[in-house]
Amino acid sequence: NMRGAEELKQLFAEQFQLDAQQIRSELTFAELAIDSLEWMELTVAIEDAFGIQLDEAALARCHNLGEAAQLILRTDKEENR
């Protein structure tokens, strides 16, 4: 779902205050150095934008944006068939 992927890229860019061009699949959450509050804000922003309930434990196991995107888009597909 290209729309979803582009939307997600934009959302990541806004949340991490980066240009969309800087958002790459291999960018790790460690590199982004986000704290627990930012993590919570990101989760809420994603859930609101996509109208989904994320498995926060599964999201926390994602190492990089690519893995997170797969989880988010898969959840979106399952919940918003």
Side-chain angles (χ1 to χ4, degrees):
N1 173 341
M2 219 29 231
R3 183 194 65 84
E6 278 310 303
E7 237 176 296
L8 196 51
K9 191 175 194 174
Q10 210 47 57
L11 196 137
F12 282 150
E14 286 167 23
Q15 287 291 315
F16 304 127
Q17 282 136 19
L18 296 169
D19 286 331
Q21 291 84 1
Q22 294 173 283
I23 301 295
R24 307 179 321 280
S25 301
E26 61 277 5
L27 196 59
T28 67
F29 289 109
E31 287 176 287
L32 289 163
I34 65 172
D35 62 30
S36 56
L37 179 65
E38 291 168 317
W39 190 257
M40 213 171 71
E41 287 172 352
L42 174 67
T43 306
V44 169
I46 293 166
E47 290 180 336
D48 287 351
F50 286 85
I52 58 175
Q53 269 309 121
L54 273 177
D55 177 346
E56 290 181 39
L59 187 62
R61 285 193 297 274
C62 296
H63 295 292
N64 58 37
L65 294 184
E67 289 178 15
Q70 285 180 332
L71 172 72
I72 293 157
L73 296 175
R74 188 172 61 241
T75 305
D76 182 40
K77 210 168 112 181
E78 288 166 4
E79 292 188 13
N80 296 313
R81 259 185 260 252

